[in-house]
């Protein structure tokens, strides 16, 4: 298909996924970096009304974000129906590691995920993944993906909307109507960012409000921005935004919950920190023009003129699509035992969507490996089919 244009920024993981999707479907496209080309940034905002990347243009069609369903409708080919030995939901550190382990056991595996990398791709700097003293989330995930692609693993970029069991087979269904059948199921859907729940928030998402600072930061060069949140992720976001603009305000609902080192760094960088404040209103129609904040101690409300509002207020597990298939705890996390077994035989889980306390890349990856090994054992017992180790095929 001719005339497809993708607006990106250098570090945006979702932009990379759009490119990967288009390449996989043999779609030629022109890439435009709006972080470097201000005229192109103006053009993108004019065409799409978006101040966030990626934006994909094809004729009259404007696709905002990495919208796998829409991209599949426009460019995708329907996948053939197969019965797999394992379906893995999620391609973050847990799902990708599980994929390598399943593939090495010669299990016919498909990974179905909305994006590759999950939260790990949003981290600016990772300093606690063994083997790398420091690495960006983007780089680490590239290495994970490369390793997965070295094996015969099918990776489908789609959202899962339902999983259920029919006899001994699990059915994993996506909004495009595709149903992936499998003997075992590994759940690794991770977590997604919470929103503020304010009026107009959804309409202003990508038009001033952002949950992906690593994607959108270059579009706010020289503009006043605010970051909401009081944990490490919020401080990291504020510090990174300071590289693009002088005016960064950090709005913290309660007291600061981050590591001491970040408070020092934020003060040194000249970030304005407002503890015990909350955002009570968003302003602007076509794009964010400002916010109202409230001092939770005095009740006083003030306006703040900002072009960008970056949310870093925590995460909720992506378990809505399970609809009762497996047992969850009160936080809607999947209940697992120490080996990744859920309440349903044949269903295994790993990573941040589970009840495991430590929400870290190295833990998610380790638990992904454990879940895959258990799935393999279950599969062998179920089918009586012994499998062998697969070697890397390049
Ligand atoms: C800003 C930030 C910085 C961080 N920094 C660090 C750090 O420095 N060090 C560290 O160890 N940890 C860090 N973390 C935590 C770390 O990223 C997570 O612990 C880790 O990514 C969890 O991996 P996961 O595979 O369980 O889930 P995720 O990484 O959340 O991946 C989930 C996957 O599931 C997919 N998915 C979700 N729902 C569906 C669905 N319905 N259908 C299809 N696919 C779906 C997603 O698309 C994604 O591919 C950070 C997190 C954030 C947000």
């Amino acid at each position: 298909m001719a005339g497809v244009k993708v607006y990106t920024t250098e570090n945006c993981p979702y932009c990379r996924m759009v490119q990967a999707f288009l390449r996989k479907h043999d779609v030629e496209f022109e890439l435009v970096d709006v972080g470097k080309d201000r005229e192109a940034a103006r053009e993108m905002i004019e065409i799409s009304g978006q101040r966030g990347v990626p934006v994909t243009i094809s004729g009259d069609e404007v696709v905002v974000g990495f919208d796998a369903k829409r991209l599949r409708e426009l460019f995708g080919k329907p996948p053939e129906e197969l019965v797999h030995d394992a379906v893995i939901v999620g391609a973050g550190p847990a799902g990708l590691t599980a994929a390598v382990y399943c593939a090495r056991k010669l299990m016919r595996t498909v990974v179905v995920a909305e994006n590759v990398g999950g939260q790990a791709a949003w981290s600016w700097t990772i300093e606690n993944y063994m083997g790398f003293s420091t690495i960006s989330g983007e780089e680490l995930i590239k290495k994970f993906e490369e390793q997965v692609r070295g094996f015969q693993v099918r990776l489908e970029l789609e959202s899962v909307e339902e999983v259920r069991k029919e006899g001994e087979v699990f059915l994993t269904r996506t909004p495009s109507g595709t149903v992936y059948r499998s003997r075992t199921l590994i759940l690794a859907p991770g977590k997604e960012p919470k929103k503020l729940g304010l009026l107009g928030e959804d309409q202003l998402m990508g038009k001033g409000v952002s949950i992906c600072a690593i994607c959108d930061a270059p579009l706010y060069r020289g503009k006043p921005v605010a970051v909401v949140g009081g944990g490490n992720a919020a401080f990291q976001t504020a510090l990174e935004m300071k590289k693009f603009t002088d005016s960064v305000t950090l709005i913290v609902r309660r007291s600061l919950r981050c590591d001491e080192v970040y408070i020092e760094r934020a003060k040194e960088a000249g970030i304005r920190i407002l503890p015990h404040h909350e955002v009570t209103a968003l302003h602007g129609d076509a794009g964010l023009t400002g916010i109202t904040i409230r001092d939770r101690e005095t009740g006083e409300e003030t306006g703040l003129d900002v072009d960008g509002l970056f949310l870093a207020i925590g995460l909720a597990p992506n378990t809505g699509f399970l609809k009762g298939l497996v047992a969850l705890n009160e936080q809607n996390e999947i209940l697992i035992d120490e080996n990744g077994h859920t309440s349903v035989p044949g269903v295994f889980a790993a990573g941040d969507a589970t009840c495991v306390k430590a929400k870290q890349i190295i833990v998610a990856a380790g638990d992904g490996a454990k879940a895959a090994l258990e799935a393999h054992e279950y599969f062998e017992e179920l089918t009586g089919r012994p499998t062998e180790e697969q070697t890397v095929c390049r």
Side-chain angles (χ1 to χ4, degrees):
M1 191 174 299
V4 177
K5 198 183 246 192
V6 183
Y7 294 98
T8 68
T9 57
E10 197 178 349
N11 293 315
C12 160
Y14 298 103
C15 304
R16 198 164 61 78
M17 287 164 211
V18 170
Q19 293 171 54
F21 182 98
L22 294 176
R23 284 195 194 105
K24 184 175 172 194
H25 292 86
D26 297 324
V27 179
E28 282 181 26
F29 58 92
E30 180 193 348
L31 205 57
V32 184
D33 186 340
V34 294
K36 293 188 179 133
D37 184 339
R38 287 183 183 209
E39 188 45 47
R42 266 194 291 278
E43 179 186 277
M44 177 191 82
I45 294 165
E46 199 180 301
I47 297 173
S48 65
Q50 286 291 308
R51 193 180 278 280
V53 286
V55 169
T56 306
I57 309 284
S58 170
D60 292 339
E61 291 287 344
V62 179
V63 183
V64 172
F66 176 64
D67 182 346
K69 179 171 182 273
R70 190 70 196 118
L71 289 170
R72 189 172 288 279
E73 281 163 5
L74 290 174
F75 308 111
K77 301 164 202 152
E80 78 284 15
E81 289 289 328
L82 287 174
V83 179
H84 293 87
D85 301 338
V87 161
I88 299 171
V89 181
L96 293 173
T97 307
V100 167
Y101 273 74
C102 284
R104 282 174 54 84
K105 293 291 185 187
L106 276 190
M107 292 175 82
R108 285 165 304 181
T109 304
V110 61
V111 180
V112 190
E114 283 171 8
N115 59 58
V116 178
Q119 299 163 64
W122 309 334
S123 186
W124 302 91
T125 317
I126 294 163
E127 294 173 354
N128 53 5
Y129 192 80
M130 296 307 288
F132 304 96
S133 53
T134 174
I135 187 166
S136 72
E138 171 77 352
E139 262 181 279
L140 183 63
I141 284 303
K142 250 191 220 164
K143 290 182 185 295
F144 272 49
E145 189 180 345
E146 265 168 33
Q147 196 162 346
V148 170
R149 291 201 187 274
F151 291 93
Q152 284 166 5
V153 174
R154 189 167 149 201
L155 187 52
E156 293 293 344
L157 291 174
E158 277 204 276
S159 176
V160 171
E161 65 177 15
E162 191 193 18
V163 282
R164 64 193 168 87
K165 196 173 182 191
E166 239 178 51
E168 291 300 332
V169 175
F170 295 100
L171 308 182
T172 299
R173 194 162 55 80
T174 72
S176 66
T178 309
V179 178
Y180 299 95
R181 289 161 211 282
S182 61
R183 298 278 174 198
T184 65
L185 185 61
I186 300 176
L187 304 170
K191 291 197 164 188
E192 67 178 355
K194 288 184 186 162
K195 294 187 192 162
L196 293 167
L198 292 173
L199 198 68
E201 190 176 0
D202 285 340
Q203 292 90 303
L204 289 168
M205 195 56 72
K207 297 174 182 167
V209 180
S210 174
I211 51 171
C212 185
I214 201 164
C215 307
D216 302 334
L219 292 159
Y220 293 85
R221 206 182 294 275
K223 295 179 189 297
V225 300
V227 176
V228 195
N232 286 349
F235 272 79
Q236 278 178 11
T237 301
L239 284 162
E240 287 302 325
M241 290 311 300
K242 202 69 179 62
K243 294 178 185 165
F244 294 91
T245 174
D246 281 340
S247 174
V248 179
T249 304
L250 185 60
I251 301 161
V252 185
R253 196 156 188 271
R254 297 193 181 90
S255 44
L256 312 183
R257 288 174 287 109
C258 63
D259 297 343
E260 204 59 38
V261 61
Y262 286 120
I263 303 177
E264 288 307 312
R265 284 186 201 165
K267 283 184 182 158
E268 273 167 30
I271 291 167
R272 183 182 172 214
I273 306 174
L274 300 177
H276 305 289
H277 279 69
E278 63 188 349
V279 182
T280 53
L282 308 174
H283 307 294
D285 297 320
L288 187 77
T289 53
I291 57 177
T292 301
I293 55 172
R294 189 171 77 94
D295 184 326
R296 298 182 76 231
E297 286 177 338
T298 64
E300 191 188 340
E301 288 203 325
T302 34
L304 202 61
D305 290 338
V306 287
D307 287 345
L309 182 68
F310 291 84
L311 309 184
I313 53 173
L315 302 143
N318 285 317
T319 48
F321 70 95
L322 294 171
K323 296 174 191 145
L325 176 75
V326 293
L328 307 178
N329 66 10
E330 280 175 5
Q331 287 79 48
N332 288 324
E333 294 168 334
I334 304 165
L335 283 168
I336 54 167
D337 69 8
E338 69 277 16
N339 290 316
H341 293 246
T342 69
S343 57
V344 175
V347 185
F348 305 85
D352 278 19
T354 69
C355 57
V356 167
K357 243 165 94 182
K359 310 293 190 201
Q360 290 284 284
I361 296 168
I362 201 158
V363 177
D367 284 356
K370 278 160 68 180
L373 291 173
E374 293 298 306
H376 174 247
E377 201 171 296
Y378 173 90
F379 175 76
E380 276 199 335
E381 277 169 21
L382 184 77
T383 60
R385 192 188 109 195
T387 54
E388 293 164 28
E389 295 261 315
Q390 184 188 339
T391 48
V392 178
C393 51
R394 294 198 188 281

